[in-house]
């Protein structure tokens, strides 16, 4: 197959000349899959992103394509069942990008996530995970001896170690996956442009009919019969362009990861460890010659365009690692950090950790479709549901085709 070459000037020119069936605002993974779903149904579609593709939440996740074991603990079994089905579809449609990843839970006599008594109950949870869809990955969870645990994570503190539990999920390079979805849509005829900021919406007779987009020093009127707001933590600002008096719906939750040299921990799988004094668990995942350690989950009140790991957050994660591993990680060992925001939807009370991760899709009074919430793993299905809503705006019918649609590089073409 010929390589896909995107001509930026030509894309910019088409945005100003064509009238699209659908314009997607936001180049994260949700907007990307909405675009791919639209163009694969035969709609003319465009996507604009104010920064770079995947530059927001979709490059700052834990890189997991997973069912979400924690959501079973919260009682949200339906979300987990569906997430595991979508994980299977990702592994089938993008096997070059989504890979199986073992997760290890050490069983410790004290100061662990759980002791041997609680481990029995937790193993029941793992059976639930396997039975509702985890089995599709080709392996069921396993109980490990102390020696087997240390073979996977030799620097774990052994004095309180009683064994371990291992189950299987998947991981991906989230930014590369998002870019591949966008490239697949472009290969099918979609127009895409990054560095293209929406300055305002075009409205005609009370209906949204496109957007004013600034790119490369010029302002382009992009006309579309339907507009999708898939801007994540920036959702409320775009919704306000469509409807004055819009009440904010998104509650940003900050997540932070730090990166340390692999030789300090030497794990060959993802090791889940407790964070002292906190309900949340932390994960330590090998990424090349480094280990990514995270994540936090806290309310965020600052600018969505300026999110960084603080010294306090770094120390917090280092403390968790030093409690679990017989190694001495210091701030000097940290070679990088990632700070991002989750666009949670819901009330302003309670801990963000306890909030549900379901997606929300709404059709506003001016006809704009807004999607937020959800998670990377369910992005394909979210894109399908978004375009289902767009089809009602357009008064058209066509089935989604993304369930079995390989991404570029994953299907031999």
């Amino acid at each position: 197959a010929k390589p896909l070459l995107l001509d930026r000037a030509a894309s910019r020119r088409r945005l100003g000349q064509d009238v699209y069936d659908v314009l997607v605002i936001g180049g994260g993974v949700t907007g990307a899959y909405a675009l791919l779903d639209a163009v694969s149904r035969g709609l003319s579609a465009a996507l604009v992103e104010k920064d770079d593709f995947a530059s927001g939440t979709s490059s700052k996740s834990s890189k997991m394509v997973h069912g979400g074991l924690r959501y079973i603990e919260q009682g949200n079994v339906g979300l987990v069942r569906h997430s595991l089905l979508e994980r299977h579809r990702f592994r089938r449609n993008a096997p070059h990008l989504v890979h199986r990843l073992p997760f290890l839970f050490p069983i410790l006599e004290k100061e662990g996530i759980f002791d041997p008594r609680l481990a029995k109950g937790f193993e029941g949870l793992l059976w639930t995970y396997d039975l509702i869809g985890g089995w599709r990955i080709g392996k069921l969870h396993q109980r490990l001896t102390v020696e087997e645990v240390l073979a996977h994570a030799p620097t774990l503190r052994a004095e309180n170690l009683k064994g371990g539990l291992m189950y299987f999920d998947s991981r991906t390079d989230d930014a590369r996956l998002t870019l591949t979805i966008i490239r697949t849509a472009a290969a099918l005829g979609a127009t895409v442009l990054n560095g293209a900021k929406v300055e305002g919406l075009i409205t005609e007779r009370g209906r949204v009919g496109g957007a004013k987009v600034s790119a490369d020093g010029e302002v382009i009127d992009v006309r579309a019969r339907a507009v999708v707001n898939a801007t994540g933590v920036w959702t409320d600002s775009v919704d306000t362009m469509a409807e004055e008096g819009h009440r904010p719906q998104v509650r940003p939750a900050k997540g932070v990861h730090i990166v340390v040299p692999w030789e300090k921990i030497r794990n060959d799988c993802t090791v889940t460890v407790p964070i002292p004094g906190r309900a949340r668990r932390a994960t330590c995942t090998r990424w090349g010659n480094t280990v990514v350690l995270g994540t936090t989950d806290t309310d965020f009140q600052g600018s969505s365009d300026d999110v960084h790991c603080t010294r306090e957050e770094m120390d917090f994660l280092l403390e968790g690692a030093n409690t679990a591993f017989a190694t001495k990680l210091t701030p000097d060992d940290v070679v990088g950090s990632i700070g991002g925001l989750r666009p949670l939807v819901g009330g302003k009370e309670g801990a963000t950790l306890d909030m549900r991760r379901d997606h929300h899709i709404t059709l506003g009074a001016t006809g704009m479709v807004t999607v937020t919430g959800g998670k990377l793993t369910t992005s394909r299905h979210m894109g399908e549901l978004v375009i289902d809503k767009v089809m009602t705006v357009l008064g058209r019918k066509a089935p989604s085709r993304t369930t079995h649609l390989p991404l570029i590089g994953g299907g031999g073409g």
Side-chain angles (χ1 to χ4, degrees):
K2 293 181 179 179
L4 174 63
L5 301 177
L6 297 180
D7 184 324
R8 183 173 181 84
S11 296
R12 195 172 61 242
R13 188 166 55 252
R14 282 197 303 273
L15 283 175
Q17 293 174 347
D18 295 352
V19 178
Y20 295 93
D21 290 322
V22 57
L23 169 65
V24 179
I25 305 171
V29 70
T30 305
Y33 243 126
L35 179 75
L36 179 56
D37 193 282
V39 72
S40 63
R41 293 195 201 200
L43 301 180
S44 59
L47 180 146
V48 292
E49 159 61 41
K50 70 173 184 175
D51 292 318
D52 202 355
F53 303 123
S55 59
T57 306
S58 295
S59 60
K60 300 172 176 65
S61 74
S62 294
K63 323 297 181 191
M64 304 299 176
V65 179
H66 65 144
L69 199 60
R70 178 162 55 89
Y71 308 137
I72 293 184
E73 298 174 89
Q74 295 176 349
N76 200 348
V77 177
L79 174 63
V80 177
R81 179 184 289 108
H82 184 254
S83 296
L84 288 170
L85 176 59
E86 290 298 323
R87 182 191 72 179
H88 172 67
R89 289 167 173 166
F90 257 129
R91 282 174 49 79
R92 182 184 60 208
N93 294 333
H96 58 312
L97 297 177
V98 181
H99 306 129
R100 186 166 64 192
L101 178 67
F103 277 70
L104 171 63
F105 284 90
I107 300 173
L108 301 173
E109 191 67 60
K110 57 183 180 180
E111 295 184 336
I113 295 171
F114 39 64
D115 57 27
R117 179 179 56 85
L118 292 176
K120 292 182 179 180
F122 190 79
E123 191 167 13
L125 187 150
L126 291 177
W127 274 118
T128 301
Y129 198 72
D130 286 340
L131 291 172
I132 65 176
W135 59 269
R136 291 190 182 92
I137 207 162
K139 285 195 172 187
L140 302 179
H141 77 273
Q142 305 167 1
R143 182 177 278 269
L144 305 182
T145 65
V146 170
E147 291 75 16
E148 288 170 330
V149 169
L150 292 175
H152 288 289
T155 59
L156 272 172
R157 294 189 185 277
E159 56 266 28
N160 295 320
L161 190 60
K162 297 299 179 183
L165 292 167
M166 178 174 281
Y167 78 105
F168 298 87
D169 253 317
S170 298
R171 74 169 182 178
T172 188
D173 182 327
D174 50 3
R176 185 179 172 208
L177 178 67
T178 302
L179 183 59
T180 302
I181 297 167
I182 291 173
R183 290 176 60 233
T184 306
L188 293 176
T191 304
V192 298
L193 194 67
N194 55 0
K197 182 179 180 181
V198 170
E199 304 290 356
L201 298 176
I202 298 171
T203 57
E204 297 174 351
R205 296 187 294 277
R207 305 288 291 180
V208 172
K212 290 186 176 296
V213 176
S214 62
D216 304 336
E218 62 178 287
V219 177
I220 309 164
D221 283 355
V222 185
R223 302 280 176 173
R225 300 176 183 89
V227 176
V228 173
N229 176 8
T231 55
V233 293
W234 294 272
T235 294
D236 286 324
S237 63
V238 177
D239 275 350
T240 300
M241 294 178 186
E243 299 178 41
E244 289 187 17
H246 167 76
R247 296 178 60 185
Q249 301 294 316
V250 176
R251 181 180 175 186
K254 185 179 180 183
V256 166
H257 298 80
I258 58 174
V259 184
V260 299
W262 175 80
E263 62 188 24
K264 291 282 186 174
I265 294 179
R266 305 204 306 277
N267 54 319
D268 68 358
C269 62
T270 290
V271 183
T272 307
V273 299
I275 295 290
R278 299 290 183 98
R280 187 172 181 90
R281 302 184 284 260
T283 56
C284 306
T285 301
R286 181 173 185 177
W287 199 271
N289 292 324
T290 64
V291 170
V292 179
L293 174 63
T295 177
T296 60
D297 199 321
T298 56
D299 262 321
F300 182 75
Q301 304 295 333
S303 168
S304 299
D305 294 312
D306 186 25
V307 186
H308 302 286
C309 175
T310 66
R311 179 60 183 259
E312 180 183 10
E313 289 164 335
M314 179 184 68
D315 289 342
F316 164 70
L317 291 172
L318 288 174
E319 180 186 2
N322 286 327
T323 299
F325 296 96
T327 186
K328 183 57 180 175
L329 288 168
T330 71
D332 290 338
D333 293 315
V334 177
V335 296
S337 65
I338 308 166
L341 300 176
R342 302 175 185 87
L344 303 183
V345 181
K348 302 300 181 183
E349 302 298 327
T352 56
L353 178 61
D354 298 326
M355 292 181 67
R356 296 167 75 92
R357 265 51 174 178
D358 302 273
H359 60 262
H360 291 255
I361 300 170
T362 58
L363 177 59
T366 58
M368 185 169 71
V369 177
T370 296
V371 54
T372 193
K375 51 208 285 280
L376 184 153
T377 309
T378 57
S379 57
R380 187 215 61 83
H381 187 238
M382 290 164 64
E384 175 183 340
L385 295 179
V386 165
I387 302 305
D388 283 346
K389 189 74 73 174
V390 165
M391 297 301 268
T392 66
V393 175
L394 299 176
R396 294 171 61 176
K397 291 184 178 181
S400 173
R401 302 182 184 279
T402 56
T403 301
H404 301 284
L405 180 62
L407 301 184
I408 282 180

